[in-house]
Amino acid sequence: MYGKRILLGISGGIAAYKIAYLIRLLKNQGAEVKCVMTPSASDFISPLVVSTLSENPVAIEFWNKDSGLWTNHVELALWADLYIIAPATANTIAKMASGICDNLLLACYYSSKSKTIIAPAMDLDMYQHPTFKRNLNQLISDAVLVIPATNGSLASGLEGEGRMEEPENILRFIQINFPFSAKELSSKKKILITAGPSYEAIDPVRFIGNHSSGKMGFALAEICLAKAWEVTLICGPTNLDLAHPNLNIIPVFSAEDMLLAVQENWKNADIGIFSAAVSDYRPEKFETQKIKKTEKTINLQLIKNPDIISWASENRGAKQFVVGFALETNNALEFALNKLDSKKMDMIVLNSMEDKEAGFKKETNKITILDKKKGKYSFPAKSKREVASDIIDTIFKLM
Ligand code: C5P
């Protein structure tokens, strides 16, 4: 990162105390660092610490009351190759999302032409609050990159999601997403993800479906987007929504629709993550009129659906990486290994219905990852977002 210009915005949360360490890490990489702070951030970390470590004056107010000098936020914002706001509090995120510009940190955001990254930090209930989620989604669709908060002890004494990501991981995120060297450039990826259920029509009003919510696939898409990767998300019927400039979302209904969408998009992808719960069978005949309840019993003849992931494995280029999922109710490991092999995957993510933390519509998931070289990686129960992060990290390691 030699000579790269990083503007670091610090807002007023307890995690601000870790910023001293982040500045050190960035400086050690050779980056030039300038800092802006919100007035309340200086209650959490002394501007003297920040200016000493960054080796630059810290800007807090629009103008210096002693000298009368004005801080040019436009110049500061345009100076930066990258703007990182860490910690980003719920208040700052809300203001960024709604256009409020009442401090220097926000004025720099509005004047900036560089990429902005935020590392949110707040208490767990705030992190789950619909208002916060709405604001965060707004920033994601405004092309702000998000380093998700992690799980652990919070300043309130509670345990949960809301801790700012550790400085080492913030640095790693920057290095992966801002390929300042050719090696890092090669780590930028195009991802194809299938998500959600498939619905197989019986007649114009009924279908065969399953309980998949699509949450796992959407969490995977969010993590990939946060890495500035390009994502094609092919999803069966869900209630979920996601918008981002790097996201191409293709809604589909049946397994056959999903296969068509995969066939059209697969050759451009580096990685395929097939998390959709595709129906194995569909009604052989689609009744064009609603079936009437005249008979005492009726038979529904089913035929096998195409296996989408197998098509992708058989039609892949040398460098394309294929990831599948297995949700099993029994003999989980054995079934997952068989799938890994028969569908020629590089890696399979197993979640067992025997685990109470895993399964449809749950917020958490507990996974074991198996790879084609017989590697086995087990993880504790985590939120689907954290699981998504583990999956992406493992793909990266195996690739
Ligand atoms: O064999 P099973 O359906 O349990 O395999 C699950 C894996 O295969 C998942 O990754 C799922 O997305 C994929 N699959 C598929 N096409 C199908 C059925 C499953 O891609 N028709």
Side-chain angles (χ1 to χ4, degrees):
M1 290 170 77
Y2 186 78
K4 292 296 157 197
R5 294 182 294 210
I6 310 282
L7 182 63
L8 189 56
I10 309 168
S11 62
I14 183 68
Y17 82 91
K18 293 184 184 172
I19 293 309
Y21 193 48
L22 179 61
I23 299 172
R24 261 273 192 267
L25 292 174
L26 291 167
K27 295 286 290 182
N28 286 345
Q29 290 293 317
E32 233 188 288
V33 180
K34 288 189 182 179
C35 298
V36 284
M37 296 171 72
T38 62
S40 69
S42 55
D43 292 334
F44 293 94
I45 183 166
S46 155
L48 186 60
V49 173
V50 174
S51 67
T52 308
L53 294 176
S54 65
E55 297 176 279
N56 270 311
V58 182
I60 301 176
E61 303 291 348
F62 283 102
W63 64 287
N64 184 315
K65 294 191 175 68
D66 295 327
S67 64
L69 283 178
W70 176 61
T71 306
N72 187 338
H73 58 87
V74 178
E75 214 167 73
L76 204 50
L78 295 183
W79 167 85
D81 294 318
L82 192 62
Y83 188 18
I84 308 165
I85 302 177
T89 59
N91 182 48
T92 290
I93 288 169
K95 287 179 176 179
M96 289 168 76
S98 58
I100 297 170
C101 187
D102 61 358
N103 63 39
L104 197 65
L105 180 149
L106 294 164
C108 287
Y109 171 60
Y110 290 114
S111 317
S112 166
K113 284 192 180 151
S114 74
K115 203 76 186 158
T116 302
I117 303 180
I118 56 169
M122 63 201 71
D123 208 41
L124 78 169
D125 294 320
M126 298 169 81
Y127 199 67
Q128 296 302 336
H129 199 283
T131 309
F132 166 69
K133 288 188 177 166
R134 194 172 63 230
N135 290 332
L136 192 69
N137 282 336
Q138 180 60 53
L139 291 189
I140 291 170
S141 50
D142 294 342
V144 170
L145 295 183
V146 180
I147 306 180
T150 61
N151 215 315
S153 340
L154 300 162
S156 60
L158 299 173
E159 286 274 330
E161 232 173 1
R163 280 168 68 92
M164 187 182 79
E165 183 55 279
E166 295 303 325
E168 293 88 342
N169 293 336
I170 295 181
L171 177 68
R172 202 171 136 240
F173 180 95
I174 297 167
Q175 288 172 324
I176 292 175
N177 289 294
F178 294 89
F180 295 125
S181 71
K183 181 172 157 273
E184 286 158 10
L185 195 60
S186 68
S187 64
K188 201 170 161 80
K189 301 287 176 207
K190 289 188 177 150
I191 319 287
L192 180 145
I193 300 174
T194 67
S198 75
Y199 282 4
E200 310 298 332
I202 298 169
D203 67 19
V205 287
R206 286 104 169 195
F207 59 84
I208 296 173
N210 60 64
H211 294 300
S212 168
S213 62
K215 280 183 184 161
M216 195 63 242
F218 274 68
L220 284 160
E222 281 180 45
I223 297 292
C224 294
L225 291 167
K227 289 184 182 298
W229 294 347
E230 279 174 40
V231 178
T232 299
L233 178 60
I234 300 168
C235 67
T238 72
N239 294 324
L240 304 173
D241 203 10
L242 190 61
H244 191 282
N246 287 349
L247 174 69
N248 176 21
I249 185 158
I250 305 175
V252 294
F253 196 76
S254 67
E256 287 179 301
D257 300 341
M258 193 174 274
L259 176 65
L260 269 180
V262 169
Q263 286 171 333
E264 273 168 29
N265 290 280
W266 179 222
K267 72 172 182 306
N268 296 322
D270 300 303
I271 302 168
I273 308 180
F274 296 85
S275 66
V278 188
S279 178
D280 292 330
Y281 292 90
R282 67 175 185 277
E284 184 165 37
K285 189 165 174 276
F286 171 71
E287 298 293 341
T288 51
Q289 304 297 333
K290 186 179 170 193
I291 301 170
K292 291 282 160 212
K293 53 174 174 218
T294 43
E295 307 300 324
K296 196 153 183 217
T297 61
I298 57 169
N299 289 318
L300 197 57
Q301 181 74 18
L302 302 176
I303 54 165
K304 226 173 187 167
N305 261 331
D307 198 86
I308 299 169
I309 193 166
S310 298
W311 180 88
S313 294
E314 276 154 25
N315 292 279
R316 73 165 117 181
K319 288 193 174 152
Q320 284 180 300
F321 195 86
V322 174
V323 181
F325 279 69
L327 177 67
E328 303 294 348
T329 51
N330 57 310
N331 297 347
L333 218 52
E334 185 191 327
F335 284 139
L337 276 170
N338 283 344
K339 271 176 211 178
L340 179 73
D341 201 42
S342 66
K343 300 191 187 203
K344 298 186 182 68
M345 303 172 191
D346 294 294
M347 172 182 137
I348 190 161
V349 182
L350 163 66
N351 33 107
S352 165
M353 293 275 271
E354 289 162 314
D355 277 321
K356 62 180 187 316
E357 295 99 341
F360 293 127
K361 296 200 164 74
K362 296 253 170 68
E363 291 304 326
T364 54
N365 203 354
K366 189 169 169 209
I367 58 161
T368 303
I369 293 180
L370 308 168
D371 71 43
K372 67 174 180 198
K373 292 185 182 144
K374 308 260 179 294
K376 182 178 165 206
Y377 315 83
S378 298
F379 298 85
K382 296 184 180 186
S383 73
K384 286 194 171 161
R385 225 189 147 99
E386 288 174 295
V387 169
S389 195
D390 288 339
I391 292 171
I392 301 295
D393 284 351
T394 313
I395 293 174
F396 226 69
K397 272 184 217 141
L398 294 176
M399 281 182 90

